[in-house]
Structures are given as structure tokens and as C-alpha cells.
Amino acid sequence: MSPRRPNMESSIYLGSDGWWHGRVTMGVKNDGSPDRRHRRAKTEAAVRRKVKELEKLRDEGRAPKAGRIPTVEQWMETYLNTIAIRTIKPRTWDDYWSKTRNDINPHIGKHRLDRLRPEHLDQLYTDLLAQGHAPSHVLKVHRTLSRALKIAHRRELIGRNVATLVDAPSVEETEANPFTQEQAKDFLKTAAKRRTALRWGFGIGLAVRQGETLGLRWSYLDLDTGECRTEWQLQRLTWRHGCADPHACGSRRHRFDACPTDCTRHRSYKRGCPKPCAKNCTKHASTCPERKGGGLVFTRPKTKKSQRPLVIPPPLIPLLREHKARQEIERAEAGDAWEENDLVFARPDGRPIDPRDDWEEFKEILAEAGISDRRLYDGSRHTGGTILNELGVGMRTIMEIMRHTHLSTTRRYVKSTDPLAQEAARRIGEALWPQAGKTETRTETTSTKDAQARRRRRIK
Ligand SMILES: [Zn+2]
Ligand SMILES: [Zn+2]
Ligand SMILES: [Zn+2]
């Protein structure tokens, strides 16, 4: 026999109003007073059924908490601003906010959190894909929602996390579009004429992220042992409004009509015409007089593994020494204007390179080298991993070099297993800089001229 729980007993009675009433004790409220809930129906059988349902939810621990349940929109804000902000990386937090603002709130923001159903998420993902978003984008939306709902569930605001009941959008692995070895060499040859040449060699040769490359400091680089640590990464975070009415704040910058297809106004915009604003647009925070949280910042790398040292491909070492010498000259020339950040790759006055400018330069080099358009990530990190694989370096080693936490990530590049990271670094060095030590890399050699001629022929 089950133990009696007199305090948890429900009561059912016929009221003087002609309705049947049921009262169920759920537990205690936040303030300590008993949480009694009310159900009402026309017949005794109906109210009994309702009471049973509520008791079942209570006994299974799935009953929503007492008090007002927030909407999805309200919860996302609470979750991001008071919970996630303490636990996740600024860049990720930024990204969660952007997915919330642009994708989650406009589609499902008004649902009460406990009334959100798996079908709503299915519809959201279907709509986003139909709008032309990449599956990887939709997957990020899913992750954002899923984490927010997980906390809501843990805090008993909802009885279940509906995101776990929906299949995450699958991301095609072919979305990665790295350079081939040939393209990587062409890219580096084209980049060699630039002041930032080594930044690109470093990004591909060590398969590091943009932020890690731009945040690299001399003090974490040991040119004698050929090791480097990427302790910080440089990132550009999106500004947020600090004002009370973000929509009104951006009123001068809202544009509600799409550009004509032959628009000339935004010809110089590398990312094309800006998209028209949503009706209740709250963007344009960069011009908010009380803007906060944005700009260039140094953050700790994404994973613990990212803090482990990397082996620099040997041909890069003398190039780094040269680069350092050139930077000394720039420092002397800049004089008082020099801003010391100890950065390996900096602007001529020592200030950090804006990731946006870096991105634009990547696109410029692509165009110059006659390589088809792709993402910066594909052109550096993915390329590094892919070339190592092509060179026959094993999966475990590539995983170490790319400092992946999970082998499954590395498997996107690799098939088998094998030996040492030193050897791998030597090989990628040889593959990308076969002439290292023999020719000055920054001067144009006959082979680069030949390559350019070949490319010109190819374009025609
Ligand atoms: Zn706007
Ligand atoms: Zn335009
Ligand atoms: Zn504002």
C-alpha cells in the first residue's frame, strides 16, 4: 500500500455556483506558502479527470512552476542576460543573441514557454530553410533554443524540453569547402605581395582560427623551439542597445524597402545590399548613444584544448623572424603613434587588425588569385586540416594539431590513424613552402609568374 500523504490530497466539491471545483496541492510556492491549484468543470466526472491530470503532472515532476510562465521571447532574454552571460563565451553569447533576435523571436517568440510544442520548432526550421538559410545556420538556432529550454526545464518552468523531441537539422559535411593544395599555394603566392602575407601562411599552415591568428602575441611564440600557444583570440562583438527603446533609437537608419536589383548605392559593399529592416527592427545598435558590449575584444579561446601549444611548420620560423624585424621598423616609424599590444599580426601602428578588414582582404586575395569564393574558415582552418590529410598524416595527429576536442570533428578531414605532430608540421611546411630557404618568398619568382599566366588562361 502506498504511504498516505494527507497534505497532498486533492479535494473535489460542487460549488454553490453550479460548477464542480477541484483543488490540488502541488507543493509550495517561492514565498513558502502552499501552492494550491484550481480546476473547474460542469460535471463531477470532468473535474475528476482534470484533477487526475494535474496530479499526474505533479507526481511525474512535470507540472509547470507556480506563477506566471514567461513567453519564449521573455525567457530568451532572461536566459541570455542573466544566465548564459555568466557561462558562455562572449562570441557565442553574441551569436545566441543574434539567432534570438533574428530567427527565434520573430517566429515563435509569443508562445508561452510551457505551450511551445515540437511542431512549432519543426515549422520554424522549415521556414528558415525556405528563407534560404544554410542548414548550419538552422542548427545553430536549434542549439540556442535547446540550451535555453534546458535551463527552463531544469528550473521547472516547463515540464519537458521540446527541443529534445525534434530532430536537429542535419548539416551536410560537404558544406566545408577547403582549398586544394594547389589553391592553397596559389593563395599564398598571391598573398605574398602583401604586408599581411605571413598572417595567411600562419592561418593555413597551423590551421588556426581567424581570432587566434589575429590575437597571437609574441610572448606566446617561441621561435627557438618552434612552439606557439594561442592564449587569446581577437574578436569583433556586435554592439547592443543600452537605451530604453531600441526601435526608436534606430529610426534614422531603418530602411523598409528592398534595394532594386540594379542598385548602385551599395556597389562598394562587400557583402552586397543590406537587407531591409523588419517591421519592429531593433538593430543599428552601433549608432546607439548608449551602445554596449561591442567592438574589438580579446577573449580566451573556445576550448581547453585550444590552450595547448602548436608546432610551427619549420619554413615559417625564418619568415616569422623576418616579419618581426619588419615590425620593429614599423614601430620605429610609428613613433608615439605606436600602440603596444605585443601582437604578431598588427596594423602598422601596432593596433589589432579588425577581423572585418581581415575578412575583406581574404576575399580580395581570393579574387586576385582567381580562386572561387568561399568562407574564410574554409580557406584557413579547413584547408590546413585537409592538406594534412592529403599528405597522409593520421587522424589522431590531425586532431592534436587542430586541437579538436572530439575525433568526430576531425573525421570530417581524415580517414586513418598514425604518428607524430612534428612530422606533420614539417610536411605541411614542405608542401606549402617547397622553396623555403632557397628563394626569398616575398619576391615574385618565375614560377609565380607562370602560375599567374596559367590562371589568366584558365579564366579566359
Ligand atoms: Zn532597422
Ligand atoms: Zn542597395
Ligand atoms: Zn539605442
PDB file of all heavy atoms in Angstrom, residues 368-398:
ATOM      1  N   GLU A 368      41.877  37.936 -56.542  1.00  0.00           N
ATOM      2  CA  GLU A 368      43.142  38.151 -57.245  1.00  0.00           C
ATOM      3  C   GLU A 368      43.760  36.840 -57.709  1.00  0.00           C
ATOM      4  O   GLU A 368      44.338  36.755 -58.784  1.00  0.00           O
ATOM      5  CB  GLU A 368      44.134  38.827 -56.292  1.00  0.00           C
ATOM      6  CG  GLU A 368      44.579  40.200 -56.714  1.00  0.00           C
ATOM      7  CD  GLU A 368      45.410  40.823 -55.611  1.00  0.00           C
ATOM      8  OE1 GLU A 368      46.602  40.486 -55.519  1.00  0.00           O
ATOM      9  OE2 GLU A 368      44.856  41.621 -54.830  1.00  0.00           O
ATOM     10  N   ALA A 369      43.647  35.829 -56.869  1.00  0.00           N
ATOM     11  CA  ALA A 369      44.269  34.547 -57.189  1.00  0.00           C
ATOM     12  C   ALA A 369      43.393  33.721 -58.118  1.00  0.00           C
ATOM     13  O   ALA A 369      43.780  32.641 -58.546  1.00  0.00           O
ATOM     14  CB  ALA A 369      44.550  33.768 -55.902  1.00  0.00           C
ATOM     15  N   GLY A 370      42.195  34.243 -58.400  1.00  0.00           N
ATOM     16  CA  GLY A 370      41.299  33.524 -59.294  1.00  0.00           C
ATOM     17  C   GLY A 370      40.732  32.258 -58.677  1.00  0.00           C
ATOM     18  O   GLY A 370      40.449  31.287 -59.363  1.00  0.00           O
ATOM     19  N   ILE A 371      40.573  32.266 -57.340  1.00  0.00           N
ATOM     20  CA  ILE A 371      40.000  31.101 -56.658  1.00  0.00           C
ATOM     21  C   ILE A 371      38.533  31.405 -56.362  1.00  0.00           C
ATOM     22  O   ILE A 371      38.201  32.526 -55.988  1.00  0.00           O
ATOM     23  CB  ILE A 371      40.750  30.819 -55.336  1.00  0.00           C
ATOM     24  CG1 ILE A 371      42.239  30.614 -55.616  1.00  0.00           C
ATOM     25  CG2 ILE A 371      40.165  29.605 -54.629  1.00  0.00           C
ATOM     26  CD1 ILE A 371      43.089  30.531 -54.363  1.00  0.00           C
ATOM     27  N   SER A 372      37.677  30.408 -56.543  1.00  0.00           N
ATOM     28  CA  SER A 372      36.247  30.648 -56.345  1.00  0.00           C
ATOM     29  C   SER A 372      35.960  31.050 -54.901  1.00  0.00           C
ATOM     30  O   SER A 372      36.658  30.653 -53.971  1.00  0.00           O
ATOM     31  CB  SER A 372      35.450  29.401 -56.720  1.00  0.00           C
ATOM     32  OG  SER A 372      35.871  28.327 -55.918  1.00  0.00           O
ATOM     33  N   ASP A 373      34.912  31.828 -54.735  1.00  0.00           N
ATOM     34  CA  ASP A 373      34.562  32.405 -53.444  1.00  0.00           C
ATOM     35  C   ASP A 373      34.276  31.320 -52.402  1.00  0.00           C
ATOM     36  O   ASP A 373      33.711  30.287 -52.710  1.00  0.00           O
ATOM     37  CB  ASP A 373      33.321  33.289 -53.616  1.00  0.00           C
ATOM     38  CG  ASP A 373      33.113  34.176 -52.408  1.00  0.00           C
ATOM     39  OD1 ASP A 373      34.111  34.461 -51.712  1.00  0.00           O
ATOM     40  OD2 ASP A 373      31.966  34.567 -52.159  1.00  0.00           O
ATOM     41  N   ARG A 374      34.687  31.575 -51.176  1.00  0.00           N
ATOM     42  CA  ARG A 374      34.374  30.657 -50.083  1.00  0.00           C
ATOM     43  C   ARG A 374      34.543  31.372 -48.761  1.00  0.00           C
ATOM     44  O   ARG A 374      34.971  32.516 -48.716  1.00  0.00           O
ATOM     45  CB  ARG A 374      35.247  29.412 -50.136  1.00  0.00           C
ATOM     46  CG  ARG A 374      36.720  29.691 -49.855  1.00  0.00           C
ATOM     47  CD  ARG A 374      37.568  28.572 -50.361  1.00  0.00           C
ATOM     48  NE  ARG A 374      37.452  28.482 -51.792  1.00  0.00           N
ATOM     49  CZ  ARG A 374      37.540  27.339 -52.484  1.00  0.00           C
ATOM     50  NH1 ARG A 374      37.722  26.215 -51.860  1.00  0.00           N
ATOM     51  NH2 ARG A 374      37.444  27.336 -53.790  1.00  0.00           N
ATOM     52  N   ARG A 375      34.208  30.662 -47.677  1.00  0.00           N
ATOM     53  CA  ARG A 375      34.306  31.295 -46.373  1.00  0.00           C
ATOM     54  C   ARG A 375      35.752  31.324 -45.899  1.00  0.00           C
ATOM     55  O   ARG A 375      36.543  30.460 -46.246  1.00  0.00           O
ATOM     56  CB  ARG A 375      33.457  30.526 -45.357  1.00  0.00           C
ATOM     57  CG  ARG A 375      31.985  30.528 -45.681  1.00  0.00           C
ATOM     58  CD  ARG A 375      31.228  29.667 -44.715  1.00  0.00           C
ATOM     59  NE  ARG A 375      31.762  28.304 -44.704  1.00  0.00           N
ATOM     60  CZ  ARG A 375      31.302  27.342 -43.920  1.00  0.00           C
ATOM     61  NH1 ARG A 375      30.337  27.601 -43.076  1.00  0.00           N
ATOM     62  NH2 ARG A 375      31.812  26.135 -43.956  1.00  0.00           N
ATOM     63  N   LEU A 376      36.052  32.313 -45.079  1.00  0.00           N
ATOM     64  CA  LEU A 376      37.396  32.451 -44.535  1.00  0.00           C
ATOM     65  C   LEU A 376      37.808  31.194 -43.781  1.00  0.00           C
ATOM     66  O   LEU A 376      38.932  30.724 -43.873  1.00  0.00           O
ATOM     67  CB  LEU A 376      37.442  33.676 -43.612  1.00  0.00           C
ATOM     68  CG  LEU A 376      38.712  33.928 -42.809  1.00  0.00           C
ATOM     69  CD1 LEU A 376      39.934  33.965 -43.703  1.00  0.00           C
ATOM     70  CD2 LEU A 376      38.598  35.246 -42.065  1.00  0.00           C
ATOM     71  N   TYR A 377      36.871  30.643 -43.031  1.00  0.00           N
ATOM     72  CA  TYR A 377      37.136  29.447 -42.246  1.00  0.00           C
ATOM     73  C   TYR A 377      37.582  28.292 -43.141  1.00  0.00           C
ATOM     74  O   TYR A 377      38.509  27.556 -42.831  1.00  0.00           O
ATOM     75  CB  TYR A 377      35.851  29.073 -41.509  1.00  0.00           C
ATOM     76  CG  TYR A 377      36.051  28.141 -40.355  1.00  0.00           C
ATOM     77  CD1 TYR A 377      36.494  28.628 -39.126  1.00  0.00           C
ATOM     78  CD2 TYR A 377      35.779  26.789 -40.473  1.00  0.00           C
ATOM     79  CE1 TYR A 377      36.664  27.784 -38.056  1.00  0.00           C
ATOM     80  CE2 TYR A 377      35.944  25.935 -39.401  1.00  0.00           C
ATOM     81  CZ  TYR A 377      36.386  26.435 -38.190  1.00  0.00           C
ATOM     82  OH  TYR A 377      36.556  25.591 -37.133  1.00  0.00           O
ATOM     83  N   ASP A 378      36.910  28.168 -44.295  1.00  0.00           N
ATOM     84  CA  ASP A 378      37.261  27.115 -45.241  1.00  0.00           C
ATOM     85  C   ASP A 378      38.660  27.325 -45.790  1.00  0.00           C
ATOM     86  O   ASP A 378      39.399  26.386 -46.035  1.00  0.00           O
ATOM     87  CB  ASP A 378      36.280  27.107 -46.415  1.00  0.00           C
ATOM     88  CG  ASP A 378      34.949  26.503 -46.024  1.00  0.00           C
ATOM     89  OD1 ASP A 378      34.945  25.669 -45.112  1.00  0.00           O
ATOM     90  OD2 ASP A 378      33.937  26.874 -46.629  1.00  0.00           O
ATOM     91  N   GLY A 379      39.003  28.619 -45.997  1.00  0.00           N
ATOM     92  CA  GLY A 379      40.276  28.935 -46.614  1.00  0.00           C
ATOM     93  C   GLY A 379      41.447  28.803 -45.661  1.00  0.00           C
ATOM     94  O   GLY A 379      42.586  28.799 -46.083  1.00  0.00           O
ATOM     95  N   SER A 380      41.196  28.717 -44.354  1.00  0.00           N
ATOM     96  CA  SER A 380      42.331  28.593 -43.456  1.00  0.00           C
ATOM     97  C   SER A 380      42.259  27.300 -42.663  1.00  0.00           C
ATOM     98  O   SER A 380      42.965  26.338 -42.939  1.00  0.00           O
ATOM     99  CB  SER A 380      42.406  29.800 -42.524  1.00  0.00           C
ATOM    100  OG  SER A 380      41.188  30.003 -41.869  1.00  0.00           O
ATOM    101  N   ARG A 381      41.365  27.253 -41.704  1.00  0.00           N
ATOM    102  CA  ARG A 381      41.340  26.113 -40.803  1.00  0.00           C
ATOM    103  C   ARG A 381      41.013  24.805 -41.529  1.00  0.00           C
ATOM    104  O   ARG A 381      41.733  23.817 -41.410  1.00  0.00           O
ATOM    105  CB  ARG A 381      40.332  26.380 -39.694  1.00  0.00           C
ATOM    106  CG  ARG A 381      40.546  25.517 -38.489  1.00  0.00           C
ATOM    107  CD  ARG A 381      39.904  26.148 -37.281  1.00  0.00           C
ATOM    108  NE  ARG A 381      39.542  25.138 -36.313  1.00  0.00           N
ATOM    109  CZ  ARG A 381      40.408  24.535 -35.515  1.00  0.00           C
ATOM    110  NH1 ARG A 381      41.674  24.848 -35.585  1.00  0.00           N
ATOM    111  NH2 ARG A 381      40.011  23.628 -34.651  1.00  0.00           N
ATOM    112  N   HIS A 382      39.943  24.823 -42.294  1.00  0.00           N
ATOM    113  CA  HIS A 382      39.582  23.609 -43.022  1.00  0.00           C
ATOM    114  C   HIS A 382      40.678  23.184 -43.983  1.00  0.00           C
ATOM    115  O   HIS A 382      40.960  22.010 -44.151  1.00  0.00           O
ATOM    116  CB  HIS A 382      38.289  23.827 -43.814  1.00  0.00           C
ATOM    117  CG  HIS A 382      37.075  23.644 -42.966  1.00  0.00           C
ATOM    118  ND1 HIS A 382      35.826  24.008 -43.381  1.00  0.00           N
ATOM    119  CD2 HIS A 382      36.932  23.135 -41.731  1.00  0.00           C
ATOM    120  CE1 HIS A 382      34.962  23.727 -42.427  1.00  0.00           C
ATOM    121  NE2 HIS A 382      35.601  23.205 -41.412  1.00  0.00           N
ATOM    122  N   THR A 383      41.288  24.188 -44.622  1.00  0.00           N
ATOM    123  CA  THR A 383      42.331  23.871 -45.581  1.00  0.00           C
ATOM    124  C   THR A 383      43.509  23.195 -44.901  1.00  0.00           C
ATOM    125  O   THR A 383      44.017  22.180 -45.376  1.00  0.00           O
ATOM    126  CB  THR A 383      42.790  25.149 -46.302  1.00  0.00           C
ATOM    127  OG1 THR A 383      41.711  25.609 -47.096  1.00  0.00           O
ATOM    128  CG2 THR A 383      43.987  24.879 -47.184  1.00  0.00           C
ATOM    129  N   GLY A 384      43.933  23.749 -43.770  1.00  0.00           N
ATOM    130  CA  GLY A 384      45.043  23.144 -43.036  1.00  0.00           C
ATOM    131  C   GLY A 384      44.768  21.680 -42.755  1.00  0.00           C
ATOM    132  O   GLY A 384      45.595  20.805 -43.029  1.00  0.00           O
ATOM    133  N   GLY A 385      43.574  21.393 -42.244  1.00  0.00           N
ATOM    134  CA  GLY A 385      43.207  20.023 -41.909  1.00  0.00           C
ATOM    135  C   GLY A 385      43.180  19.121 -43.125  1.00  0.00           C
ATOM    136  O   GLY A 385      43.669  17.990 -43.102  1.00  0.00           O
ATOM    137  N   THR A 386      42.638  19.653 -44.208  1.00  0.00           N
ATOM    138  CA  THR A 386      42.509  18.850 -45.418  1.00  0.00           C
ATOM    139  C   THR A 386      43.861  18.513 -46.024  1.00  0.00           C
ATOM    140  O   THR A 386      44.103  17.385 -46.448  1.00  0.00           O
ATOM    141  CB  THR A 386      41.672  19.614 -46.466  1.00  0.00           C
ATOM    142  OG1 THR A 386      40.465  20.023 -45.838  1.00  0.00           O
ATOM    143  CG2 THR A 386      41.352  18.739 -47.637  1.00  0.00           C
ATOM    144  N   ILE A 387      44.759  19.516 -46.037  1.00  0.00           N
ATOM    145  CA  ILE A 387      46.068  19.265 -46.636  1.00  0.00           C
ATOM    146  C   ILE A 387      46.831  18.224 -45.825  1.00  0.00           C
ATOM    147  O   ILE A 387      47.442  17.311 -46.381  1.00  0.00           O
ATOM    148  CB  ILE A 387      46.878  20.574 -46.763  1.00  0.00           C
ATOM    149  CG1 ILE A 387      46.183  21.486 -47.778  1.00  0.00           C
ATOM    150  CG2 ILE A 387      48.304  20.281 -47.218  1.00  0.00           C
ATOM    151  CD1 ILE A 387      46.883  22.796 -48.016  1.00  0.00           C
ATOM    152  N   LEU A 388      46.744  18.335 -44.508  1.00  0.00           N
ATOM    153  CA  LEU A 388      47.416  17.336 -43.671  1.00  0.00           C
ATOM    154  C   LEU A 388      46.913  15.943 -44.036  1.00  0.00           C
ATOM    155  O   LEU A 388      47.674  14.995 -44.159  1.00  0.00           O
ATOM    156  CB  LEU A 388      47.146  17.615 -42.187  1.00  0.00           C
ATOM    157  CG  LEU A 388      47.881  18.813 -41.603  1.00  0.00           C
ATOM    158  CD1 LEU A 388      47.346  19.135 -40.223  1.00  0.00           C
ATOM    159  CD2 LEU A 388      49.376  18.549 -41.543  1.00  0.00           C
ATOM    160  N   ASN A 389      45.618  15.849 -44.236  1.00  0.00           N
ATOM    161  CA  ASN A 389      45.036  14.565 -44.598  1.00  0.00           C
ATOM    162  C   ASN A 389      45.556  14.087 -45.943  1.00  0.00           C
ATOM    163  O   ASN A 389      45.968  12.944 -46.102  1.00  0.00           O
ATOM    164  CB  ASN A 389      43.511  14.691 -44.625  1.00  0.00           C
ATOM    165  CG  ASN A 389      42.838  13.360 -44.917  1.00  0.00           C
ATOM    166  OD1 ASN A 389      43.378  12.306 -44.593  1.00  0.00           O
ATOM    167  ND2 ASN A 389      41.680  13.414 -45.529  1.00  0.00           N
ATOM    168  N   GLU A 390      45.589  14.999 -46.904  1.00  0.00           N
ATOM    169  CA  GLU A 390      46.083  14.636 -48.234  1.00  0.00           C
ATOM    170  C   GLU A 390      47.529  14.173 -48.177  1.00  0.00           C
ATOM    171  O   GLU A 390      47.971  13.373 -48.981  1.00  0.00           O
ATOM    172  CB  GLU A 390      45.982  15.838 -49.185  1.00  0.00           C
ATOM    173  CG  GLU A 390      44.563  16.105 -49.674  1.00  0.00           C
ATOM    174  CD  GLU A 390      44.486  17.356 -50.539  1.00  0.00           C
ATOM    175  OE1 GLU A 390      45.542  17.907 -50.902  1.00  0.00           O
ATOM    176  OE2 GLU A 390      43.365  17.769 -50.839  1.00  0.00           O
ATOM    177  N   LEU A 391      48.268  14.718 -47.202  1.00  0.00           N
ATOM    178  CA  LEU A 391      49.678  14.360 -47.093  1.00  0.00           C
ATOM    179  C   LEU A 391      49.864  13.044 -46.346  1.00  0.00           C
ATOM    180  O   LEU A 391      50.980  12.626 -46.080  1.00  0.00           O
ATOM    181  CB  LEU A 391      50.440  15.474 -46.374  1.00  0.00           C
ATOM    182  CG  LEU A 391      50.477  16.804 -47.124  1.00  0.00           C
ATOM    183  CD1 LEU A 391      51.119  17.865 -46.273  1.00  0.00           C
ATOM    184  CD2 LEU A 391      51.220  16.645 -48.436  1.00  0.00           C
ATOM    185  N   GLY A 392      48.772  12.440 -45.964  1.00  0.00           N
ATOM    186  CA  GLY A 392      48.865  11.133 -45.327  1.00  0.00           C
ATOM    187  C   GLY A 392      49.085  11.184 -43.826  1.00  0.00           C
ATOM    188  O   GLY A 392      49.436  10.191 -43.200  1.00  0.00           O
ATOM    189  N   VAL A 393      48.889  12.342 -43.226  1.00  0.00           N
ATOM    190  CA  VAL A 393      49.014  12.435 -41.773  1.00  0.00           C
ATOM    191  C   VAL A 393      47.767  11.822 -41.141  1.00  0.00           C
ATOM    192  O   VAL A 393      46.659  12.029 -41.618  1.00  0.00           O
ATOM    193  CB  VAL A 393      49.165  13.904 -41.342  1.00  0.00           C
ATOM    194  CG1 VAL A 393      49.212  14.021 -39.835  1.00  0.00           C
ATOM    195  CG2 VAL A 393      50.404  14.505 -41.972  1.00  0.00           C
ATOM    196  N   GLY A 394      47.961  11.071 -40.080  1.00  0.00           N
ATOM    197  CA  GLY A 394      46.846  10.336 -39.486  1.00  0.00           C
ATOM    198  C   GLY A 394      45.889  11.182 -38.673  1.00  0.00           C
ATOM    199  O   GLY A 394      46.189  12.297 -38.262  1.00  0.00           O
ATOM    200  N   MET A 395      44.742  10.588 -38.435  1.00  0.00           N
ATOM    201  CA  MET A 395      43.637  11.286 -37.784  1.00  0.00           C
ATOM    202  C   MET A 395      43.971  11.797 -36.387  1.00  0.00           C
ATOM    203  O   MET A 395      43.687  12.928 -36.047  1.00  0.00           O
ATOM    204  CB  MET A 395      42.452  10.335 -37.725  1.00  0.00           C
ATOM    205  CG  MET A 395      41.294  10.855 -36.947  1.00  0.00           C
ATOM    206  SD  MET A 395      39.778  10.176 -37.579  1.00  0.00           S
ATOM    207  CE  MET A 395      40.015   8.445 -37.228  1.00  0.00           C
ATOM    208  N   ARG A 396      44.599  10.925 -35.576  1.00  0.00           N
ATOM    209  CA  ARG A 396      44.927  11.327 -34.201  1.00  0.00           C
ATOM    210  C   ARG A 396      45.819  12.563 -34.196  1.00  0.00           C
ATOM    211  O   ARG A 396      45.650  13.473 -33.401  1.00  0.00           O
ATOM    212  CB  ARG A 396      45.662  10.195 -33.470  1.00  0.00           C
ATOM    213  CG  ARG A 396      44.766   9.078 -33.039  1.00  0.00           C
ATOM    214  CD  ARG A 396      44.164   9.357 -31.679  1.00  0.00           C
ATOM    215  NE  ARG A 396      42.997   8.517 -31.472  1.00  0.00           N
ATOM    216  CZ  ARG A 396      42.076   8.738 -30.546  1.00  0.00           C
ATOM    217  NH1 ARG A 396      42.186   9.780 -29.747  1.00  0.00           N
ATOM    218  NH2 ARG A 396      41.054   7.948 -30.417  1.00  0.00           N
ATOM    219  N   THR A 397      46.798  12.556 -35.095  1.00  0.00           N
ATOM    220  CA  THR A 397      47.737  13.670 -35.150  1.00  0.00           C
ATOM    221  C   THR A 397      47.045  14.941 -35.611  1.00  0.00           C
ATOM    222  O   THR A 397      47.258  16.017 -35.058  1.00  0.00           O
ATOM    223  CB  THR A 397      48.899  13.336 -36.110  1.00  0.00           C
ATOM    224  OG1 THR A 397      49.396  12.058 -35.751  1.00  0.00           O
ATOM    225  CG2 THR A 397      49.996  14.358 -35.994  1.00  0.00           C
ATOM    226  N   ILE A 398      46.199  14.801 -36.616  1.00  0.00           N
ATOM    227  CA  ILE A 398      45.486  15.986 -37.097  1.00  0.00           C
ATOM    228  C   ILE A 398      44.583  16.524 -35.994  1.00  0.00           C
ATOM    229  O   ILE A 398      44.484  17.722 -35.769  1.00  0.00           O
ATOM    230  CB  ILE A 398      44.670  15.665 -38.370  1.00  0.00           C
ATOM    231  CG1 ILE A 398      45.617  15.237 -39.485  1.00  0.00           C
ATOM    232  CG2 ILE A 398      43.868  16.883 -38.803  1.00  0.00           C
ATOM    233  CD1 ILE A 398      44.941  14.917 -40.791  1.00  0.00           C
TER     234      ILE A 398
END
